[in-house]
Amino acid sequence: MNKTAKLTLTAVMTCALLLSGCSTLKGIGKKDSNVIASAEKSETGYYQDAQTALEKNRYNEAMTALNGLRTFYPTGQYAEQALLDLIYAQYRANDFEAVIKSTAEFIRSYPTSRHVDYALYVQGVTNMGGAPKASRLFNLDQSQRDVSYLRLAFQDFSNLIQYFPDSAYAPDAAQRMRAIYNDFAEHELVAARWYVKRGAYVAAANRAKWVFQYFPQSGGVPEAIAILAYSNEKLGLTDTANQYKTLLQINYPQYLGANGQVNIGNNQSFAKKALSSVSFGRFGRAKDASTHQSGQYDGTTRTQIITSAQEIALPETTTEATTPKTGNTGNTRHIGLGLPDDEAQVGNISQTPR
């Protein structure tokens, strides 16, 4: 190859490299320009984009705009409202784990905000449904699920009615507390029925006793007494069984047959009855709290609903939760039904569940 050809080839390669470099630099410059443009979008621009998306029910778009606003303007004029709108968008998009994180962040970041009641309410509603998405895919009775989320929801609603009794969400929160309380009692009765079917009458009696000791205001008390009467009779504790039957005859005769036989297993779950008879309220965005749709409460006044909820409590979880003991303990609540003192504590009778 002569000298002229070599120079020509060198010039061509040099031009190619320069063009390639310019193209690369141009791409990098364009990418950086996009990043800068995104970061420099005005706070109002982000907020308006989010509002437009929310009005059109485009919740994923709204979340993108709101997250952008909160990223680049964390202390801006729309910061608080952006987090509230994000909570609503996440809930409507069924991103329940994110809702719990966002409500907790709002309560922590804005403890004096007039919208803390909204954050507590949405957090409670989310926990009441069972935060993981999978738990919402099946139409299961709440009492047959893991009740840990129900306990969290109960505490959320309890905090709401305690600290914000005048909130638009307080009556509905109180009604939800009552439903959760009944669900916990039903959770024990589900286990008691299971033990009865398997002839494990000691375990069944213990579960039933837990209901009227710790959930005395629940609708499960009648069935709990019926299970106690039935189990004691099966265990040969006739005198104790007859005392429970007397209570049933006076207060709940539908649980006794004409021949004095205890009827169990033929009654619809009281928790399902309670939940089906309650129409819970629906919440919108935080700024629309004045238009919150309250539930239907069968004529009960607002004050009565809240006062009633303040009188109930869930027992603390203990290692002995499945085998409650008789006697007056710190968490025990008694009801005025004249329940008999067992002639032999069923929890002390040795019996292996079959």
Side-chain angles (χ1 to χ4, degrees):
M1 182 180 293
N2 57 34
K3 185 175 181 180
T4 301
K6 289 182 178 179
L7 290 173
T8 301
L9 179 60
T10 300
V12 171
M13 292 179 65
T14 301
C15 290
L17 289 172
L18 287 173
L19 289 173
S20 176
C22 290
S23 177
T24 301
L25 291 173
K26 182 179 179 181
I28 294 175
K30 184 177 181 181
K31 182 177 180 181
D32 289 343
S33 177
N34 287 338
V35 172
I36 293 172
S38 177
E40 291 182 347
K41 181 183 288 187
S42 70
E43 182 182 8
T44 301
Y46 277 118
Y47 186 72
Q48 289 178 344
D49 287 348
Q51 301 311 299
T52 299
L54 286 171
E55 290 172 0
K56 296 181 179 180
N57 298 330
R58 296 175 179 173
Y59 301 113
N60 288 327
E61 291 182 20
M63 287 189 288
T64 299
L66 291 167
N67 281 324
L69 189 157
R70 298 184 66 242
T71 297
F72 297 113
Y73 303 94
T75 59
Q77 61 177 325
Y78 297 114
E80 180 179 342
Q81 186 60 47
L83 184 50
L84 288 168
D85 286 343
L86 182 62
I87 290 170
Y88 177 73
Q90 289 169 338
Y91 186 88
R92 293 302 300 270
N94 297 328
D95 193 352
F96 303 115
E97 290 89 344
V99 172
I100 297 301
K101 293 179 181 178
S102 295
T103 52
E105 180 183 351
F106 184 88
I107 295 169
R108 182 176 62 253
S109 302
Y110 305 100
T112 60
S113 170
R114 63 189 181 91
H115 294 302
V116 171
D117 61 333
Y118 176 84
L120 279 171
Y121 180 74
V122 177
Q123 183 169 279
V125 171
T126 304
N127 278 324
M128 188 174 180
K133 294 179 182 179
S135 69
R136 297 171 182 248
L137 297 179
F138 305 96
N139 186 23
L140 298 177
D141 186 347
Q142 283 277 20
S143 63
Q144 299 183 40
R145 298 178 180 177
D146 177 8
V147 295
S148 59
Y149 282 105
L150 289 180
R151 184 176 290 278
L152 292 174
F154 188 92
Q155 188 59 53
D156 292 331
F157 295 134
S158 178
N159 288 337
L160 196 160
I161 66 172
Q162 177 181 354
Y163 297 110
F164 306 97
D166 297 326
S167 167
Y169 307 103
D172 196 69
Q175 194 75 345
R176 288 174 182 269
M177 286 176 65
R178 174 66 64 178
I180 292 171
Y181 180 81
N182 280 335
D183 273 338
F184 267 81
E186 174 68 7
H187 184 73
E188 299 301 324
L189 287 175
V190 167
R193 297 184 199 113
W194 188 87
Y195 284 125
V196 167
K197 289 180 179 179
R198 284 153 184 78
Y201 301 115
V202 170
N206 280 331
R207 287 288 189 148
K209 183 170 291 186
W210 180 265
V211 172
F212 70 72
Q213 283 185 328
Y214 293 93
F215 303 99
Q217 297 185 50
S218 74
V221 169
E223 185 179 354
I225 296 175
I227 291 175
L228 279 164
Y230 183 85
S231 297
N232 276 279
E233 189 170 55
K234 290 294 185 179
L235 291 169
L237 303 177
T238 306
D239 291 343
T240 302
N242 287 337
Q243 292 181 65
Y244 284 119
K245 285 184 179 182
T246 299
L247 285 174
L248 291 175
Q249 183 62 48
I250 296 172
N251 299 285
Y252 314 107
Q254 68 272 25
Y255 283 88
L256 286 177
N259 59 352
Q261 182 179 359
V262 180
N263 297 325
I264 60 174
N266 297 322
N267 297 282
Q268 180 186 359
S269 164
F270 78 86
K272 291 181 179 179
K273 290 181 181 178
L275 289 173
S276 64
S277 64
V278 173
S279 176
F280 293 130
R282 297 180 180 179
F283 66 88
R285 296 164 63 184
K287 65 180 183 179
D288 301 324
S290 59
T291 61
H292 171 64
Q293 299 179 21
S294 297
Q296 302 299 318
Y297 307 122
D298 300 326
T300 308
T301 68
R302 174 192 178 93
T303 301
Q304 289 173 328
I305 294 169
I306 296 175
T307 300
S308 175
Q310 290 173 335
E311 294 174 350
I312 61 176
L314 299 180
E316 296 180 3
T317 54
T318 68
T319 56
E320 299 178 345
T322 58
T323 55
K325 297 179 180 179
T326 57
N328 191 8
T329 64
N331 291 328
T332 303
R333 295 170 179 266
H334 298 283
I335 53 178
L337 292 177
L339 293 171
D341 293 328
D342 295 352
E343 55 191 42
Q345 299 300 332
V346 293
N348 295 329
I349 299 177
S350 177
Q351 178 180 345
T352 302
R354 294 192 292 271

